[in-house]
Amino acid sequence: MTTAERQRNAQELIRPQLPAELTNRGKCPFDPATGLTELSEHGRIHRIEHNGDTVWLVTGHDEARAVLAAPQMSSDRINSPRARALISPELHAEMFPPERQAGSFIFMDAPEHTRYRRLLTGQFTVRRMRDLTPRVHEIVTSQLDAMIEKGPPADLVHDFALPVPSLVICELLGVDYGDRDEFQRRTSKLLSLNTTVDEQIKNTTELRKFMHGLVRAKRQNPGDDLLSGLVRDTDLNDNELTGIANLLLIAGHETTANMLALGTFALLEHPDQFARLRDNPELTENAVEELLRYLSIISSGVSRHATEDVVIGGATIRAGETVVVSVPAVNRDDTQYDDPHALLVDRPRGHHVAFGHGIHQCLGQQLARVEMAVGFTELLRRLPALKLAVPADEVPLRTDMSIYGVHRLPVTW
């Protein structure tokens, strides 16, 4: 296998490739690809042939929930028939050694997934996350104080959107915030669509090494953080704890950071909605749900493969076939939402799939909601005249990343 084939096949495994017209965003940075919107008008589940491969693409809301809830749909893309077909046993062993798979429960099915999920569920209850609200408020206020004191213009990503969730997840896990450059840099590499296989392996190894050292430190000197609690109260081994901590650390800052930045960008580009939310902070919880629905930053979709033949939305998906739930399309389903392409901060809360659905629904969704609610409320309260410092078309978009958003958001006030 050539280097190019090795790279292409590994990338295909990580995120099944779709035609460019179904993935490349158009003129509006907040809308799904034009081709994806047009495809959605002709059905709700689609058989896509691309580069000699077949993928089922789901664009309907009910069909997406059915896929994500079906026990015949596996999340284990690492050991799927597709993985075995795409990459050699040698490359598979290099990319996914057993110690690296340990604890990575988002790529597991029941009962393995259930065991890990049960251990963590008690740490992420709605009540506990709401109890964190005062501390989140302190962190948000501190970041805004520093940004305002420095004066405009500012990069909202660097000065606010990234540090807020990073500080929160560091405190929750017991990670030294001084180490943030280490994990943020490696996380960015892991989420880049342009990172080579060898770079992926290197960054994964280094990030695990960093977290493994933290796990050992918690065993010797536990604190009152979540990771110490798992060390103290479970029989998880160091590899499992390292895998879990890595997942929580990466998911705990990347997704929320991009929602805060892209959400602010969307509000600034919809000044009527910005003003309505600024003047009516009681709408914040609705606005958070609407921004999650409207933006859908998991733009590449959620992948599953069938372990046996299953019928979804009238389509028979055969065992071994790959299904991609297109989150941006599903969250704009016009049978589920009135005027789905409009951003309406007072829209009644609906059943979007921004956090997924079924047993793999995002574990930290309540924490993300708290961070966004406090973040948007205080940002608009403290900076009611916030505006872009550059033309909108000069804001650099994260089209090169698996988590969509903006690389920078220059603002002034």
Side-chain angles (χ1 to χ4, degrees):
M1 181 182 294
T2 67
T3 300
E5 289 172 332
R6 166 184 161 111
Q7 172 70 11
R8 184 179 63 250
N9 288 355
Q11 289 285 30
E12 175 74 5
L13 170 62
I14 293 168
R15 50 188 70 85
Q17 301 300 296
L18 294 167
E21 63 269 19
L22 300 182
T23 57
N24 293 348
R25 297 197 178 232
K27 292 182 179 180
C28 177
F30 315 118
D31 289 344
T34 302
L36 188 60
T37 301
E38 293 173 351
L39 184 68
S40 301
E41 295 172 356
H42 299 286
R44 307 170 67 79
I45 183 166
H46 317 267
R47 188 179 178 91
I48 306 295
E49 305 284 345
H50 183 58
N51 289 340
D53 196 13
T54 299
V55 172
W56 288 95
L57 184 66
V58 178
T59 59
H61 181 271
D62 292 343
E63 291 75 11
R65 287 168 66 93
V67 166
L68 296 174
Q72 303 94 334
M73 288 291 171
S74 173
S75 296
D76 186 5
R77 66 185 182 194
I78 293 172
N79 299 296
S80 67
R82 182 185 189 84
R84 302 298 182 184
L86 281 171
I87 60 178
S88 67
E90 293 77 18
L91 180 56
H92 191 279
E94 187 179 0
M95 292 181 67
F96 310 114
E99 64 272 15
R100 190 176 296 167
Q101 296 184 51
S104 298
F105 60 93
I106 63 171
F107 301 125
M108 297 178 182
D109 303 320
E112 292 85 359
H113 172 271
T114 308
R115 179 172 74 92
Y116 288 116
R117 182 89 179 198
R118 186 177 294 123
L119 292 173
L120 288 163
T121 299
Q123 305 288 342
F124 287 91
T125 62
V126 174
R127 179 176 180 179
R128 181 172 183 179
M129 295 304 103
R130 291 197 179 279
D131 286 345
L132 284 173
T133 300
R135 180 57 185 142
V136 173
H137 191 276
E138 290 176 3
I139 290 172
V140 166
T141 299
S142 176
Q143 290 303 133
L144 286 173
D145 285 345
M147 189 173 80
I148 292 169
E149 182 179 357
K150 187 172 68 173
D155 174 11
L156 198 78
V157 174
H158 179 271
D159 295 328
F160 181 72
L162 185 56
V164 166
S166 295
L167 275 163
V168 173
I169 197 63
C170 281
E171 288 195 12
L172 192 63
L173 288 177
V175 176
D176 185 347
Y177 186 62
D179 291 325
R180 66 190 181 281
D181 288 342
E182 166 84 9
F183 68 75
Q184 287 174 357
R185 178 171 56 85
R186 296 204 179 278
T187 297
S188 180
K189 285 286 188 181
L190 289 172
L191 296 176
S192 171
L193 300 178
N194 300 319
T195 302
T196 67
V197 173
D198 291 336
E199 288 173 329
Q200 288 275 349
I201 293 171
K202 178 183 177 181
N203 280 285
T204 300
T205 300
E206 291 300 318
L207 194 56
R208 284 189 62 85
K209 181 179 178 181
F210 164 75
M211 194 59 73
H212 196 254
L214 181 63
V215 168
R216 290 198 303 269
K218 297 297 182 184
R219 287 204 184 278
Q220 296 173 0
N221 186 27
D224 59 359
D225 53 85
L226 187 153
L227 187 54
S228 293
L230 291 174
V231 168
R232 183 176 52 247
D233 301 333
T234 72
D235 59 357
L236 296 171
N237 63 41
D238 284 4
N239 283 328
E240 291 175 306
L241 288 165
T242 297
I244 289 172
N246 267 337
L247 285 177
L248 297 179
L249 184 65
I250 293 171
H253 78 275
E254 270 287 339
T255 50
T256 306
N258 283 290
M259 274 303 307
L260 284 169
L262 189 64
T264 301
F265 186 22
L267 289 169
L268 291 173
E269 286 297 282
H270 295 80
D272 58 329
Q273 298 302 302
F274 181 98
R276 184 160 178 74
L277 182 57
R278 179 195 60 203
D279 299 339
N280 300 274
E282 69 276 8
L283 294 176
T284 301
E285 289 191 4
N286 283 72
V288 165
E289 301 304 317
E290 173 67 348
L291 286 166
L292 285 163
R293 180 201 71 82
Y294 180 71
L295 297 174
S296 299
I297 60 172
I298 310 298
S299 55
S300 58
V302 178
S303 299
R304 296 287 189 267
H305 74 269
T307 57
E308 58 185 82
D309 292 358
V310 59
V311 177
I312 301 287
T316 300
I317 300 166
R318 302 297 181 187
E321 291 187 326
T322 298
V323 182
V324 176
V325 173
S326 176
V327 178
V330 170
N331 281 341
R332 300 286 186 98
D333 186 342
D334 61 8
T335 67
Q336 184 70 21
Y337 308 101
D338 294 332
D339 199 6
H341 298 292
L343 173 63
L344 304 171
V345 296
D346 57 353
R347 187 189 297 272
R349 292 181 64 165
H351 298 289
H352 61 72
V353 295
F355 288 121
H357 179 66
I359 65 171
H360 284 280
Q361 193 171 28
C362 176
L363 186 66
Q365 61 181 285
Q366 300 305 337
L367 176 60
R369 285 185 168 104
V370 168
E371 291 172 323
M372 285 186 279
V374 175
F376 287 126
T377 297
E378 290 304 306
L379 180 67
L380 272 61
R381 184 181 72 82
R382 298 283 300 278
L383 296 171
L386 189 72
K387 60 183 179 180
L388 290 178
V390 298
D393 61 4
E394 293 183 14
V395 174
L397 305 174
R398 285 170 54 109
T399 53
D400 58 336
M401 309 292 284
S402 58
I403 304 294
Y404 184 64
V406 295
H407 285 293
R408 295 181 302 281
L409 188 66
V411 295
T412 189
W413 54 91

